[in-house]
Amino acid sequence: MSQDYLLPEVHWLRNAASYIHAHRGRTFVIAFAGDTVREPHFPHLIHDITLLSSLGIQLVLVHGARPQIEAALAQRNLNLRYINGLRVTDDSVLPHIKEAVGAVRIEIEALLSMGLPNSPMAGAKVRVVSGNFITARPLGVREGVDYCHTGEVRKIDAQAIRQCLNHGAIILLSPLGYSPTGEVFNLSADEVATASAIALKADKLIFMSAELWAAELLPRELTPTGAAQILQSSPQLPGELAYYLQNAVRACRAKVQRVHIIHQHLDGALLMELFKRDGIGTLVTATAFEDTRKATIEDIGGILELIAPLEEKSLLVRRPRERLEMEIHCFTIMERDGAIIACAALYPFSAEKIGELACLVVHPDYRQSGRATALLATIEKAAMEQGLHHLCVLTTQTAHWFQERGFTPANLEVLPENKRRLYNYQRNSKVLVKYL
């Protein structure tokens, strides 16, 4: 096997390493519908979930069972009625709902118990815990309709769940809840997942969507406010997607850090969402996923890694770590999920009222995205705040890019005297200047 063949895998693993460290010991609640369980590649999702557990992630799984319930009722010529978008669970259908939900739970437990030598779970010893962790109450009578055994979550026994998680178990929750009087209630799996994530103060709530439209209709990143605005302005959103967004808003506002909506038809979508910087689904979070800020001494390693490839090609002047440490206060960075994806430096020459823009670099994965232009605007604003009138730049290969953004070619005389003395005639960089 050649080294070239191995390089992509090595590159992926190295890039995923920071997420492996960041996710260890975290609590994720993963919800998937009954449609997902019926998919031919559902065992692959179970394998991926087991991999997450082996990496030290504490997992709570919440499964749905709607198609299994509907199939069980159809065999007996029974129908599950929906009124005002809410299902009615009467005495005639409840036994069959419990049977269908139990069958789905057993199927998932069986897959999590698999450990054949030639399977991805070879050697894995996964302990799955289910139980009466959910206390429920009836929906009752609403607008004259008695919803009977359809209920809502009253309480999640977070302490009991946490004890099991701390002992290395995966928690499996079904869309059923129990009352102190011994009754069983039919619940929404999405509500169970959201309530569990809130009660556990989970780091992530993940909805595995069985529909492809989620990626097409939603932005890649949303704040809770942005998600709420979409719900208000787009009444034609498919029902399942609307429920995901409603629960995402509720969870984020209750301090769940991140909610992910992933279309799971792509094999490996869960891993790609969790171990790639840009993921593959929609992220709803109240915390900044990407930020532009002044660099600190802790950012030096990330900046050096970002600019090293351009230094090797002589597109940038080499900056030793010692020099960067002395000049770090001049740098501004763009940080995306903890990784530095762009940087630029502003060196002010206050006496001449001119600033030098230097080391404007964007990671290859984020070029052609407008980030360089946005970072330039940040530097220009900072220069004006410092009372500078002009911004100059020296470049060997990107003169046209700067000219398209208001810079004009100039001769060396426009440079501050200290900068002129350091000019490298061997590099023969072009000088451009912009009036602020």
Side-chain angles (χ1 to χ4, degrees):
M1 188 176 292
S2 69
Q3 185 179 10
D4 288 342
Y5 180 81
L6 289 174
L7 281 176
E9 288 81 359
V10 173
H11 176 73
W12 183 91
L13 186 57
R14 286 174 176 168
N15 286 341
S18 62
Y19 289 98
I20 293 173
H21 296 309
H23 295 335
R24 184 176 292 115
R26 304 293 186 178
T27 302
F28 296 175
V29 177
I30 304 175
F32 44 86
D35 296 290
T36 306
V37 179
R38 298 172 72 180
E39 292 283 346
H41 57 266
F42 180 65
H44 297 170
L45 175 61
I46 293 297
H47 297 159
D48 293 344
I49 286 171
T50 306
L51 174 60
L52 298 183
S53 178
S54 71
L55 293 175
I57 300 171
Q58 297 186 330
L59 297 174
V60 176
L61 310 182
V62 182
H63 73 85
R66 175 177 289 189
Q68 291 85 353
I69 290 171
E70 291 176 348
L73 295 178
Q75 289 178 353
R76 297 164 177 83
N77 295 319
L78 296 171
N79 292 313
L80 191 61
R81 293 184 296 136
Y82 290 87
I83 300 177
N84 299 323
L86 298 172
R87 55 194 171 198
V88 178
T89 308
D90 58 29
D91 291 334
S92 66
V93 301
L94 181 61
H96 309 299
I97 290 176
K98 291 191 289 185
E99 179 183 349
V101 170
V104 173
R105 178 178 57 79
I106 291 170
E107 180 181 350
I108 296 169
E109 288 178 349
L111 288 172
L112 286 168
S113 302
M114 186 169 62
L116 294 175
N118 61 344
S119 77
M121 293 174 63
K125 294 182 179 179
V126 179
R127 187 149 52 94
V128 186
V129 176
S130 301
N132 57 340
F133 297 114
I134 306 169
T135 301
R137 59 189 170 209
L139 286 181
V141 179
R142 300 189 179 187
E143 297 181 5
V145 178
D146 185 355
Y147 288 91
C148 303
H149 297 283
T150 297
E152 59 186 1
V153 176
R154 178 179 177 182
K155 182 182 178 182
I156 301 291
D157 192 345
Q159 182 178 359
I161 292 176
R162 183 63 68 187
Q163 288 176 348
C164 295
L165 291 173
N166 290 340
H167 283 87
I170 292 178
I171 302 297
L172 178 60
L173 300 180
S174 298
L176 294 176
Y178 312 97
S179 72
T181 59
E183 294 178 89
V184 179
F185 291 99
N186 185 14
L187 306 176
S188 160
D190 295 343
E191 185 197 358
V192 170
T194 303
S196 300
I198 293 171
L200 291 166
K201 298 180 173 60
D203 300 280
K204 291 183 184 292
L205 169 60
I206 302 170
F207 292 111
M208 302 293 298
S209 170
E211 302 292 341
L212 289 172
W213 36 250
E216 300 169 357
L217 299 181
L218 292 180
R220 296 297 298 276
E221 297 152 26
L222 280 169
T223 63
T225 300
Q229 290 173 345
I230 289 177
L231 287 168
Q232 292 176 355
S233 61
S234 303
Q236 302 305 315
L237 277 179
E240 184 180 337
L241 184 55
Y243 288 135
Y244 289 153
L245 282 183
Q246 289 167 2
N247 283 298
V249 171
R250 177 187 165 200
C252 284
R253 289 177 175 172
K255 308 303 182 184
V256 174
Q257 294 182 15
R258 293 183 176 183
V259 181
H260 302 256
I261 302 173
I262 313 169
H263 61 91
Q264 55 82 32
H265 284 293
L266 177 61
D267 191 13
L270 179 61
L271 299 182
M272 286 188 277
E273 177 71 8
L274 294 176
F275 295 103
K276 289 182 64 178
R277 187 175 301 125
D278 295 307
I280 199 169
T282 291
L283 169 66
V284 184
T285 177
T287 59
F289 188 71
E290 183 170 318
D291 189 27
T292 300
R293 60 174 175 81
K294 294 291 291 183
T296 67
I297 199 75
E298 288 79 13
D299 299 316
I300 288 177
I303 294 174
L304 287 172
E305 184 178 354
L306 179 66
I307 66 179
L310 298 182
E311 291 179 341
E312 291 173 1
K313 297 177 181 178
S314 298
L315 297 177
L316 285 179
V317 175
R318 287 191 178 274
R319 284 176 171 78
R321 175 179 285 271
E322 295 77 11
R323 177 185 169 188
L324 192 54
E325 288 177 356
M326 295 175 60
E327 299 177 349
I328 193 65
H329 62 281
C330 298
F331 276 77
T332 297
I333 64 167
M334 280 186 172
E335 185 180 42
R336 184 172 177 81
D337 203 22
I340 296 174
I341 63 168
C343 71
L346 172 63
Y347 298 103
F349 297 86
S350 301
E352 292 92 343
K353 300 294 183 182
I354 190 169
E356 180 193 3
L357 167 65
C359 202
L360 177 56
V361 180
V362 177
H363 189 282
D365 291 346
Y366 301 97
R367 291 172 189 165
Q368 312 301 323
S369 64
R371 287 178 172 85
T373 301
L375 193 51
L376 172 60
T378 300
I379 294 295
E380 290 177 356
K381 180 180 179 183
M384 289 187 286
E385 289 174 350
Q386 294 181 40
L388 306 180
H389 296 165
H390 293 81
L391 198 62
C392 68
V393 64
L394 282 76
T395 180
T396 57
Q397 297 190 20
T398 57
H400 278 203
W401 187 89
F402 285 103
Q403 286 180 261
E404 292 168 4
R405 285 153 183 82
F407 286 79
T408 57
N411 53 39
L412 291 179
E413 281 66 30
V414 305
L415 297 177
E417 182 179 352
N418 290 342
K419 186 63 183 177
R420 283 203 306 272
R421 287 202 302 264
L422 297 174
Y423 182 81
N424 187 338
Y425 286 90
Q426 202 168 18
R427 282 181 61 84
N428 195 28
S429 299
K430 294 184 177 180
V431 179
L432 297 100
V433 67
K434 181 177 183 179
Y435 179 69
L436 301 175

